[in-house]
Amino acid sequence: MKQSLIAFAFFILPLISHSASLGAVGTQVTDLQSFLVKSGYAIASSSEVGVYFGPATKEALTRFQVDNAAAILGGAGILNELGTLNLLTQRYIAG
């Protein structure tokens, strides 16, 4: 079941398709940062944008997750992955 969910997530998420957290780098991070900024969640440290997933990116992602918790988690409440680009958040971003 878990493998099929992961395969499904990779299929439906063309831009943001992998988990990301503090210290991550690459196009996954820049795609996430672009999405957050375009969605109104500014990243306080411009030195992070396009470079790495730092504290300011985590803070912006956490604000996005808190503001959209009901839609992301289907009413299950926020668990312990705030500030991490997890599968539920990826699905929500993909629409």
Side-chain angles (χ1 to χ4, degrees):
M1 174 76 166
K2 187 175 182 180
Q3 287 180 333
S4 63
L5 284 175
I6 292 169
F8 179 70
F10 282 100
F11 177 74
I12 65 168
L13 303 173
L15 294 177
I16 299 176
S17 60
H18 302 286
S19 294
S21 59
L22 280 173
V25 295
T27 58
Q28 178 71 15
V29 173
T30 55
D31 290 344
L32 171 63
Q33 291 168 332
S34 294
F35 171 81
L36 289 169
V37 170
K38 288 178 185 176
S39 299
Y41 296 89
I43 297 171
S45 173
S46 61
S47 64
E48 281 183 30
V49 177
V51 181
Y52 74 105
F53 191 125
T57 301
K58 179 177 179 173
E59 193 273 330
L61 178 58
T62 298
R63 283 184 288 129
F64 171 79
Q65 289 171 319
V66 168
D67 288 350
N68 297 284
I72 292 172
L73 300 172
I78 300 225
L79 302 175
N80 59 359
E81 294 190 12
L82 281 178
T84 299
L85 181 60
N86 55 39
L87 184 60
L88 293 172
T89 303
Q90 292 170 37
R91 286 183 179 166
Y92 180 74
I93 290 171

